[in-house]
Amino acid sequence: ENVDAQKTAFLLRKAWTLYSVTPLYRFRRARLRDYARLLSAFIAAERQKGLAVEVGAELDIKVTLSSLADLRGSELDEAALLVELSSRSRASSRNSEDKLVWLGWFCSVFGDDLSENVLEDFTCLPLFLTHGAESYTSLVGSWFQETFDCCFCRLAISPLNLSWMVAMWAGCKLDRAASAVELVFSVPRLSQPLDISYAIHPEDAKALWDTVQKTPGEITQEEVDVFMDCLYAHFHRHFKIHLSAAKLVKVSTAIASAHCDGIVKILHSQYLPGVLMLLTELAVSQIQ
Amino acid sequence: HLATSLPLPTERDHLRPRIDLIVFIIDIKSKYSLKNVEASLAYVDASFFLGKVCFLVTGVGRVNDCSIDTNAVCKLGEVYCSPVLFCELELEGIRVSTAQRLLRILQICAGHIPGVSALSFVSLMRKSDDD
């Protein structure tokens, strides 16, 4: 669990789009360089065909695949796999810097539910996170699907799961001043879409969670329900609106933020494994 | 007859026909609908829970919009000894078949089907280790 903060700093404060991935067939850790070359050639070929044409496409895309050994839950998890797409303009000199254009990584943090049932020759890395243009995501995804016979699926987050996240994250202990806990609701069935943003002082939110949670380190559905009901009741008292009838679409805390379309941002390195564990669990249940 | 909550207004009591079945509708996208149903249950006479109540959970097609823990709804069904039906009203086929099921249940509760009464539902709901 000791994740080197420096090595993983690049993962923080970026908006990651989430996918669940079925196990990869015949993936060999030793062949990362080969895979990088193959993926690079695939991308070049697809771009030649005129698919995924980017503005200013006079760029060579270089692919780097690497392992992040520290990013896992237990020894049973596979080490995370990082895919970096960088570009170097053909026009500039050989010494110019590569510019990172797209980032994606596969990981599994306590994904035993999936890996224990899987046959030999399959590598389980159920969570896939991407940052960058959708066109590159599509290219990388296609290559992985063709090469390892796996399947990618956008990971949406239901209001029920978002409420778990906000309850867990609002209750985390933080040393320095934290940002507000914010919940965004979308009101259904109106002619004009209406979003309601509900911001709570982080200390109030933590104090509320502390009165609700009975056993430290354990969270039950009942406790999450009580926490949310208190927030709804408070809002109703002031504004006479039943937030429980609206759809919770986004939650933000000092630890992390999550949107129902499956987009998360992790802000705090200390809680990175915890957040990834939760997301791995969501990915695994979408696969099963 | 459709109502948004219970109890029903007393002014119309004398005009109301006999009630044979109460269907509580819970929208899986709305926590509020579950709370509303839980509050309304308190106003139902105990005799209805002998097979004349059922819970209908709608919106189950949209798993990603789920705001309610389905275990909690199933538990509600167990506590009140009443069946829980799941459906998706946005799909015509399921809407029609759900309506047909409810109609069938209503026919039984109203005593229109000889040999079967609402009490049959209760015995189906009871777990074997209760006896």
Side-chain angles (χ1 to χ4, degrees):
Chain A
E1 277 249 14
N2 268 331
V3 181
D4 188 343
Q6 273 207 328
K7 279 196 214 150
T8 54
F10 73 98
L11 301 174
L12 302 179
R13 287 174 294 279
K14 280 194 175 72
W16 297 103
T17 305
L18 306 176
Y19 296 81
S20 64
V21 189
T22 55
L24 307 172
Y25 183 60
R26 293 231 175 117
F27 172 79
R28 300 278 172 263
R29 218 35 96 147
R31 296 193 56 202
L32 291 186
R33 280 239 184 83
D34 288 341
Y35 294 148
R37 253 185 308 109
L38 290 169
L39 177 52
S40 191
F42 176 80
I43 292 175
E46 292 295 308
R47 290 172 88 220
Q48 281 235 304
K49 280 191 221 167
L51 303 163
V53 176
E54 293 286 311
V55 173
E58 284 307 310
L59 305 167
D60 281 330
I61 297 293
K62 184 178 104 168
V63 176
T64 314
L65 258 56
S66 53
S67 285
L68 293 167
D70 294 330
L71 222 50
R72 64 167 108 186
S74 67
E75 285 307 308
L76 294 169
D77 286 316
E78 286 285 329
L81 175 68
L82 182 63
V83 182
E84 291 169 281
L85 261 52
S86 31
S87 71
R88 180 186 295 151
S89 168
R90 281 183 211 147
S92 61
S93 68
R94 285 194 168 267
N95 295 329
S96 63
E97 286 282 305
D98 286 342
K99 184 170 157 254
L100 190 65
V101 295
W102 185 93
L103 201 51
W105 49 297
F106 296 81
C107 80
S108 173
V109 179
F110 294 109
D112 327 336
D113 271 353
L114 186 66
S115 52
E116 66 191 8
N117 292 324
V118 131
L119 303 167
E120 293 274 322
D121 261 359
F122 280 98
T123 304
C124 286
L125 285 164
L127 186 62
F128 184 52
L129 306 92
T130 71
H131 178 80
E134 164 64 34
S135 51
Y136 288 125
T137 305
S138 177
L139 285 172
V140 173
S142 299
W143 184 82
F144 270 89
Q145 282 185 155
E146 278 175 30
T147 314
F148 303 110
D149 200 23
C150 59
C151 192
F152 288 79
C153 188
R154 270 298 284 267
L155 186 63
I157 307 177
S158 67
L160 190 63
N161 287 318
L162 285 176
S163 57
W164 267 81
M165 289 175 184
V166 74
M168 278 203 299
W169 298 342
C172 287
K173 186 167 172 300
L174 285 175
D175 344 313
R176 55 179 194 278
S179 53
V181 171
E182 193 193 350
L183 297 93
V184 180
F185 295 83
S186 158
V187 184
R189 293 189 292 274
L190 293 179
S191 49
Q192 297 271 21
L194 177 68
D195 276 356
I196 300 176
S197 166
Y198 183 11
I200 306 151
H201 194 282
E203 279 169 25
D204 291 342
K206 175 147 170 46
L208 174 61
W209 178 248
D210 286 342
T211 62
V212 171
Q213 186 182 31
K214 296 188 193 64
T215 322
E218 267 177 42
I219 304 182
T220 64
Q221 180 65 55
E222 287 78 27
E223 287 167 352
V224 174
D225 286 343
V226 169
F227 180 77
M228 294 303 291
D229 286 345
C230 286
L231 297 182
Y232 292 146
H234 181 83
F235 196 86
H236 183 253
R237 213 164 25 242
H238 288 272
F239 300 103
K240 298 284 173 272
I241 293 177
H242 289 286
L243 286 177
S244 51
K247 181 184 174 192
L248 180 58
V249 296
K250 183 177 176 189
V251 299
S252 286
T253 66
I255 305 282
S257 68
H259 187 280
C260 62
D261 287 343
I263 301 172
V264 301
K265 215 182 246 191
I266 307 170
L267 304 163
H268 210 277
S269 59
Q270 186 189 344
Y271 293 100
L272 179 62
V275 174
L276 291 178
M277 179 169 82
L278 183 54
L279 297 177
T280 303
E281 201 181 314
L282 288 184
V284 169
S285 58
Q286 181 163 284
I287 293 169
Q288 286 174 332
Chain B
H1 182 85
L2 216 53
T4 53
S5 69
L6 295 178
L8 297 175
T10 50
E11 307 87 59
R12 296 183 58 82
D13 266 347
H14 60 289
L15 296 170
R16 211 169 280 125
R18 183 191 71 203
I19 294 174
D20 291 313
L21 174 68
I22 304 178
V23 180
F24 286 99
I25 302 179
I26 299 169
D27 181 358
I28 214 170
K29 303 188 293 295
S30 166
K31 187 86 192 286
Y32 175 73
S33 69
L34 179 60
K35 290 259 167 265
N36 194 17
V37 162
E38 284 172 344
S40 297
L41 281 163
Y43 293 98
V44 176
D45 186 79
S47 62
F48 277 95
F49 294 108
L50 294 171
K52 297 196 176 184
V53 168
C54 90
F55 297 99
L56 181 66
V57 182
T58 67
V60 300
R62 296 191 180 276
V63 171
N64 291 329
D65 285 354
C66 179
S67 293
I68 297 179
D69 178 26
T70 43
N71 286 333
V73 180
C74 292
K75 198 120 179 281
L76 200 64
E78 278 173 31
V79 165
Y80 286 94
C81 224
S82 300
V84 182
L85 304 179
F86 292 89
C87 75
E88 175 48 77
L89 295 178
E90 286 182 38
L91 297 172
E92 195 189 331
I94 299 182
R95 201 165 61 226
V96 167
S97 62
T98 304
Q100 286 170 339
R101 279 176 89 182
L102 287 176
L103 212 52
R104 196 71 178 151
I105 296 174
L106 178 57
Q107 282 176 319
I108 293 172
C109 291
H112 291 269
I113 311 289
V116 190
S117 77
L119 287 173
S120 320
F121 294 124
V122 178
S123 54
L124 285 173
M125 291 296 302
R126 189 170 293 157
K127 289 186 262 197
S128 54
D129 51 44
D130 277 359
D131 295 329

